[in-house]
């Protein structure tokens, strides 16, 4: 989800500010020009580095691509913003109609809960809750680190690779044949 948001035209045009609020109450500001690693392992390494150094700087400039900032998250919202929380249990809206009806005189904030378990705790500041689908749209991190599995709406689908001892022996035999000739 984070990659989709950062790759969006709205973000590239500078109309968005992305924050990550972790389950451990760490608040992270994400710069619009960051390129998120495409693999879970590299992303995990980036997050570990961020939590140790409290910021990730660009290699070719002074910009902080990610930085740990002070809570609460509401203090970083634009003044007078209308806050919408998203939940798979809220009323489903038709996106085009919903966007057409958004207020144009105040800034808009969307809160997405992208975690493997639980839900975003935005009850204190979300004015309204919406859903864009009848199904959970989360691709969980525990499935992401395994290349051959996907989590679809809480159901884990695993494609197991079948290896036989016989096929491994044949591969080893072929490997040594190239040295004999």
């Amino acid at each position: 989800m984070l990659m989709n948001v950062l790759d969006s035209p709205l973000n590239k045009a500078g109309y968005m500010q992305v924050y990550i609020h972790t389950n451990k109450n760490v608040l992270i500001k994400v710069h619009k020009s960051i390129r998120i690693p495409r693999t879970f392992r590299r992303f995990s390494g980036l997050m570990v580095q961020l939590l140790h150094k409290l910021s990730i700087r660009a290699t070719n400039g002074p910009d902080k691509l990610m930085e740990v900032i002070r809570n609460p998250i509401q203090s970083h919202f634009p003044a007078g913003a209308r806050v919408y929380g998203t939940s798979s249990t809220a009323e489903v809206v038709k996106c085009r109609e919903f966007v057409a009806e958004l207020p144009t005189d105040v800034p808009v904030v969307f809160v997405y809960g992208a975690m493997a378990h639980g839900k975003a705790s935005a009850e204190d500041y979300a004015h309204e809750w919406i859903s864009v689908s009848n199904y959970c749209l989360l691709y969980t991190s525990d499935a992401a680190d395994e290349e051959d599995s996907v989590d679809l709406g809480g159901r884990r689908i695993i494609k197991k690779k079948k290896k036989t001892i016989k096929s491994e022996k044949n591969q080893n035999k072929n490997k040594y044949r190239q040295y004999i000739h």
Side-chain angles (χ1 to χ4, degrees), residues 77-93:
F77 292 164
R82 180 83 178 152
V83 181
Y84 295 92
T86 58
S87 170
S88 60
T89 60
E91 180 184 344
V92 178
V93 297

mmCIF file of all heavy atoms in Angstrom, residues 77-93:
data_model
loop_
_atom_site.group_PDB
_atom_site.id
_atom_site.type_symbol
_atom_site.label_atom_id
_atom_site.label_comp_id
_atom_site.label_asym_id
_atom_site.label_seq_id
_atom_site.Cartn_x
_atom_site.Cartn_y
_atom_site.Cartn_z
ATOM 1 N N PHE A 77 -1.454 17.250 11.201
ATOM 2 C CA PHE A 77 -2.514 17.433 10.217
ATOM 3 C C PHE A 77 -2.646 18.917 9.887
ATOM 4 O O PHE A 77 -2.427 19.771 10.744
ATOM 5 C CB PHE A 77 -3.861 16.939 10.743
ATOM 6 C CG PHE A 77 -3.962 15.449 10.942
ATOM 7 C CD1 PHE A 77 -4.986 14.927 11.704
ATOM 8 C CD2 PHE A 77 -3.054 14.566 10.386
ATOM 9 C CE1 PHE A 77 -5.113 13.560 11.898
ATOM 10 C CE2 PHE A 77 -3.161 13.206 10.568
ATOM 11 C CZ PHE A 77 -4.193 12.702 11.323
ATOM 12 N N PRO A 78 -3.068 19.246 8.672
ATOM 13 C CA PRO A 78 -3.336 20.658 8.353
ATOM 14 C C PRO A 78 -4.480 21.179 9.230
ATOM 15 O O PRO A 78 -5.381 20.432 9.606
ATOM 16 C CB PRO A 78 -3.768 20.613 6.882
ATOM 17 C CG PRO A 78 -3.303 19.302 6.354
ATOM 18 C CD PRO A 78 -3.250 18.365 7.510
ATOM 19 N N ALA A 79 -4.444 22.462 9.537
ATOM 20 C CA ALA A 79 -5.471 23.071 10.386
ATOM 21 C C ALA A 79 -6.846 22.923 9.746
ATOM 22 O O ALA A 79 -7.018 23.166 8.554
ATOM 23 C CB ALA A 79 -5.155 24.541 10.611
ATOM 24 N N GLY A 80 -7.819 22.479 10.529
ATOM 25 C CA GLY A 80 -9.193 22.350 10.067
ATOM 26 C C GLY A 80 -9.446 21.184 9.126
ATOM 27 O O GLY A 80 -10.470 21.152 8.447
ATOM 28 N N ALA A 81 -8.531 20.232 9.085
ATOM 29 C CA ALA A 81 -8.659 19.105 8.145
ATOM 30 C C ALA A 81 -9.839 18.208 8.505
ATOM 31 O O ALA A 81 -10.157 18.001 9.672
ATOM 32 C CB ALA A 81 -7.387 18.282 8.129
ATOM 33 N N ARG A 82 -10.470 17.688 7.488
ATOM 34 C CA ARG A 82 -11.532 16.680 7.638
ATOM 35 C C ARG A 82 -10.855 15.326 7.569
ATOM 36 O O ARG A 82 -10.179 15.013 6.579
ATOM 37 C CB ARG A 82 -12.549 16.845 6.510
ATOM 38 C CG ARG A 82 -13.677 15.876 6.542
ATOM 39 C CD ARG A 82 -14.743 16.328 7.490
ATOM 40 N NE ARG A 82 -15.818 15.362 7.433
ATOM 41 C CZ ARG A 82 -16.627 15.131 8.444
ATOM 42 N NH1 ARG A 82 -16.503 15.818 9.542
ATOM 43 N NH2 ARG A 82 -17.574 14.241 8.342
ATOM 44 N N VAL A 83 -11.000 14.494 8.605
ATOM 45 C CA VAL A 83 -10.276 13.227 8.714
ATOM 46 C C VAL A 83 -11.227 12.057 8.475
ATOM 47 O O VAL A 83 -12.251 11.937 9.143
ATOM 48 C CB VAL A 83 -9.595 13.085 10.096
ATOM 49 C CG1 VAL A 83 -8.831 11.783 10.185
ATOM 50 C CG2 VAL A 83 -8.688 14.272 10.371
ATOM 51 N N TYR A 84 -10.857 11.202 7.504
ATOM 52 C CA TYR A 84 -11.626 10.005 7.176
ATOM 53 C C TYR A 84 -10.795 8.776 7.527
ATOM 54 O O TYR A 84 -9.666 8.636 7.069
ATOM 55 C CB TYR A 84 -11.971 9.963 5.680
ATOM 56 C CG TYR A 84 -12.881 11.076 5.244
ATOM 57 C CD1 TYR A 84 -12.351 12.261 4.758
ATOM 58 C CD2 TYR A 84 -14.262 10.946 5.328
ATOM 59 C CE1 TYR A 84 -13.177 13.294 4.358
ATOM 60 C CE2 TYR A 84 -15.092 11.980 4.933
ATOM 61 C CZ TYR A 84 -14.545 13.148 4.459
ATOM 62 O OH TYR A 84 -15.377 14.173 4.071
ATOM 63 N N GLY A 85 -11.368 7.906 8.333
ATOM 64 C CA GLY A 85 -10.723 6.630 8.633
ATOM 65 C C GLY A 85 -11.228 5.572 7.667
ATOM 66 O O GLY A 85 -12.355 5.659 7.174
ATOM 67 N N THR A 86 -10.396 4.599 7.366
ATOM 68 C CA THR A 86 -10.822 3.506 6.484
ATOM 69 C C THR A 86 -10.852 2.221 7.280
ATOM 70 O O THR A 86 -9.984 1.957 8.109
ATOM 71 C CB THR A 86 -9.868 3.354 5.279
ATOM 72 O OG1 THR A 86 -8.549 3.112 5.754
ATOM 73 C CG2 THR A 86 -9.894 4.590 4.408
ATOM 74 N N SER A 87 -11.865 1.420 7.022
ATOM 75 C CA SER A 87 -12.041 0.159 7.726
ATOM 76 C C SER A 87 -12.862 -0.780 6.852
ATOM 77 O O SER A 87 -13.791 -0.336 6.160
ATOM 78 C CB SER A 87 -12.776 0.398 9.050
ATOM 79 O OG SER A 87 -13.153 -0.828 9.642
ATOM 80 N N SER A 88 -12.529 -2.048 6.900
ATOM 81 C CA SER A 88 -13.296 -3.017 6.119
ATOM 82 C C SER A 88 -14.685 -3.238 6.710
ATOM 83 O O SER A 88 -15.556 -3.800 6.056
ATOM 84 C CB SER A 88 -12.543 -4.347 6.027
ATOM 85 O OG SER A 88 -12.323 -4.871 7.320
ATOM 86 N N THR A 89 -14.928 -2.763 7.937
ATOM 87 C CA THR A 89 -16.237 -2.930 8.572
ATOM 88 C C THR A 89 -17.135 -1.707 8.416
ATOM 89 O O THR A 89 -18.283 -1.729 8.820
ATOM 90 C CB THR A 89 -16.068 -3.249 10.065
ATOM 91 O OG1 THR A 89 -15.364 -2.169 10.694
ATOM 92 C CG2 THR A 89 -15.312 -4.557 10.269
ATOM 93 N N ALA A 90 -16.605 -0.631 7.834
ATOM 94 C CA ALA A 90 -17.402 0.591 7.644
ATOM 95 C C ALA A 90 -18.301 0.454 6.414
ATOM 96 O O ALA A 90 -18.217 -0.518 5.662
ATOM 97 C CB ALA A 90 -16.479 1.796 7.502
ATOM 98 N N GLU A 91 -19.145 1.460 6.199
ATOM 99 C CA GLU A 91 -20.032 1.465 5.041
ATOM 100 C C GLU A 91 -19.203 1.607 3.761
ATOM 101 O O GLU A 91 -18.333 2.468 3.651
ATOM 102 C CB GLU A 91 -21.012 2.630 5.143
ATOM 103 C CG GLU A 91 -21.962 2.713 3.976
ATOM 104 C CD GLU A 91 -22.872 3.932 4.048
ATOM 105 O OE1 GLU A 91 -22.974 4.534 5.128
ATOM 106 O OE2 GLU A 91 -23.472 4.270 3.018
ATOM 107 N N VAL A 92 -19.492 0.749 2.794
ATOM 108 C CA VAL A 92 -18.775 0.780 1.516
ATOM 109 C C VAL A 92 -19.249 1.967 0.694
ATOM 110 O O VAL A 92 -20.450 2.196 0.558
ATOM 111 C CB VAL A 92 -18.977 -0.541 0.731
ATOM 112 C CG1 VAL A 92 -18.279 -0.479 -0.618
ATOM 113 C CG2 VAL A 92 -18.468 -1.725 1.537
ATOM 114 N N VAL A 93 -18.280 2.731 0.163
ATOM 115 C CA VAL A 93 -18.607 3.879 -0.683
ATOM 116 C C VAL A 93 -18.112 3.619 -2.099
ATOM 117 O O VAL A 93 -17.190 2.844 -2.312
ATOM 118 C CB VAL A 93 -17.962 5.176 -0.138
ATOM 119 C CG1 VAL A 93 -18.502 5.523 1.237
ATOM 120 C CG2 VAL A 93 -16.453 5.084 -0.125
#
